[in-house]
Amino acid sequence: MSKPVRAKISALGTYVPPRLLTNADLEKMVDTTNDWIMERVGIRERHLVDKGVGASDLAVEAVKKLLKSHPFDLQQVDLIVVGTVTPDMMYPSTACLVQHKLGIENTWGFDVSAGCSGFLYALNTGTKFVESGRYKKVLVIGADVNSSMTDFTDRAVCIIFGDGAGAVLLEPAEEGEDGIIDHVAQVEGMGGQYLYMPGGGSLNPASHDTVDQKMHYIHQDGKQVFKYAVKKMSEMTERVLERNKLTGKDVDCFIAHQANRRIITATAERLEMPAEKVVINIDRFGNTTAGTIPLAMQTALEEKKLKKGNLVLLAAVGAGFTSGATLVRWAF
Ligand code: COA
């Protein structure tokens, strides 16, 4: 029997659009304050696209950044998996648009829709393709343009979200080298009612009526999402650690989806992880949905919280509800 193949993350690239929306800007748009946003959520500013920029554009920029730090021939890419809930359009998939814009000739790909767990679910999927032994270079991308579905008159929503993207390259690990170790994931569809965009799908196709009723915006019951996220992120991280006979003390770096600073710190406390092991950049980017985890990986590298050989715990909870946690031995 051939030896099992392990996937590793061998490169990273991220991108946020240049335009900033600060809390001071939001104070002029809705009834809110910088102090409230900083205390309740932990966001200072977020980046938003200009008109005419879609998720595929952010994804392509993220891949270009990846190529700068880790040059290789893009024609070798076997598969493109894109986590997004804000595709440029219903179809074709963002993966097809990315393939075309990057001119990768002999590949295939698809999108994964898992809300704020989108990057983790795309990563789990890409990992399985590499582990199959047949795939040697898989691009896993998380990209979201949340501003496209944000009601900028709804103060409980518009303060939270930003736009951004990140891409990683998955390759087979060398003999004896670690990589992506394990994952857990779960969906609980009862949570669909608390975070969703009802308009524009097959149930409520776009019409004047759906637009008048603001059905193309994010609808969120923040309290319910918050309560679930705190409980579930702890549960999923503990589950993946226990499966691997590890505890929070073994983890070198905790990289969680950045939805609310309080959700991340509550999970870290439960796992008894000190602040220096926890990556937080929500203050600079807000919640970029599938973009948050690669953006936080980038921050971790820049802040030297993440080094080759580190045991990294990734975690996310999102619309669906979806949730997951992944253990990675960092490879570069
Ligand atoms: N500025 C000032 N006040 C605001 C506000 C804002 N931007 N948004 C809401 N409020 C008000 C509410 O209207 C409410 O006022 P009331 O008591 O007079 O009714 C009060 O603040 C408390 O609202 P509540 O919803 O209980 O606040 P909260 O502490 O739960 O914080 C969220 C709201 C949305 C920040 C928080 O629930 C949250 O982060 N939820 C998770 C959202 C999320 O992560 N979504 C993505 C999932 S991946």
Side-chain angles (χ1 to χ4, degrees):
M1 238 177 56
S2 57
K3 278 199 190 144
V5 177
R6 181 161 263 177
K8 68 173 180 184
I9 297 174
S10 51
L12 169 72
T14 58
Y15 179 76
V16 288
R19 183 161 67 95
L20 271 183
L21 182 72
T22 64
N23 289 352
D25 297 326
L26 283 164
E27 283 177 352
K28 294 182 205 131
M29 295 160 66
V30 288
D31 182 13
T32 193
T33 62
N34 175 57
D35 288 350
W36 193 95
I37 302 171
M38 284 304 290
E39 191 193 312
R40 305 306 296 159
V41 205
I43 304 173
R44 190 179 306 282
E45 59 194 27
R46 51 310 269 142
H47 293 249
L48 304 186
V49 300
D50 288 319
K51 203 169 175 329
V53 176
S56 70
D57 298 308
L58 303 189
V60 164
E61 291 305 320
V63 175
K64 286 184 183 164
K65 285 273 193 66
L66 181 152
L67 275 177
K68 263 200 180 142
S69 66
H70 181 89
F72 74 100
D73 181 4
L74 266 186
Q75 299 306 331
Q76 295 171 342
V77 168
D78 313 293
L79 174 66
I80 304 166
V81 188
V82 182
T84 186
V85 282
T86 52
D88 289 27
M89 54 194 93
M90 290 285 279
Y91 63 88
S93 71
T94 312
C96 291
L97 303 176
V98 168
Q99 173 274 328
H100 180 62
K101 287 179 181 179
L102 290 172
I104 308 173
E105 278 167 22
N106 193 8
T107 192
W108 69 295
F110 50 87
D111 292 0
V112 170
S113 171
C116 292
S117 307
F119 179 79
L120 269 200
Y121 282 27
L123 185 69
N124 294 343
T125 308
T127 297
K128 293 295 148 197
F129 278 92
V130 174
E131 287 176 355
S132 76
R134 183 171 157 193
Y135 289 80
K136 309 291 183 209
K137 282 195 167 38
V138 175
L139 277 178
V140 172
I141 303 171
D144 271 301
V145 178
N146 286 317
S147 58
S148 66
M149 52 177 184
T150 298
D151 177 359
F152 283 96
T153 65
D154 181 350
R155 67 176 181 172
V157 168
C158 70
I159 57 145
I160 294 177
F161 293 99
D163 303 335
V168 297
L169 176 67
L170 294 184
E171 292 181 288
E174 315 290 326
E175 177 116 23
E177 199 182 25
D178 275 336
I180 296 173
I181 298 166
D182 194 16
H183 77 266
V184 294
Q186 189 176 0
V187 299
E188 291 184 287
M190 58 73 194
Q193 60 187 309
Y194 302 122
L195 183 55
Y196 64 114
M197 191 186 87
S202 55
L203 186 61
N204 299 298
S207 67
H208 289 293
D209 210 32
T210 57
V211 174
D212 289 346
Q213 290 182 52
K214 299 191 168 193
M215 289 169 81
H216 301 84
Y217 288 139
I218 298 164
H219 290 235
Q220 173 175 273
D221 181 336
K223 240 186 193 18
Q224 292 291 342
V225 176
F226 185 87
K227 271 198 315 208
Y228 181 85
V230 168
K231 182 176 100 22
K232 202 67 191 181
M233 196 175 273
S234 293
E235 198 182 307
M236 297 307 271
T237 48
E238 281 168 355
R239 202 183 290 176
V240 80
L241 287 168
E242 271 169 32
R243 263 170 67 87
N244 290 277
K245 302 191 173 39
L246 296 164
T247 71
K249 296 200 171 96
D250 298 304
V251 173
D252 298 304
C253 185
F254 178 44
I255 298 181
H257 167 57
Q258 311 277 309
N260 185 316
R261 171 185 270 271
R262 291 182 292 141
I263 298 172
I264 305 167
T265 51
T267 311
E269 275 166 29
R270 177 87 180 256
L271 295 172
E272 296 181 48
M273 270 185 296
E276 61 269 20
K277 291 186 176 181
V278 181
V279 182
I280 294 185
N281 65 6
I282 190 171
D283 50 321
R284 291 191 284 139
F285 302 116
N287 180 350
T288 57
T289 300
T292 59
I293 288 183
L295 279 165
M297 287 172 170
Q298 186 67 48
T299 297
L301 287 170
E302 285 164 9
E303 292 179 352
K304 310 229 176 315
K305 283 184 167 172
L306 185 51
K307 295 181 203 80
K308 187 171 163 56
N310 278 174
L311 182 66
V312 186
L313 175 62
L314 310 175
V317 177
F321 289 129
T322 58
S323 60
T326 300
L327 270 176
V328 178
R329 184 70 67 186
W330 197 253
F332 68 94

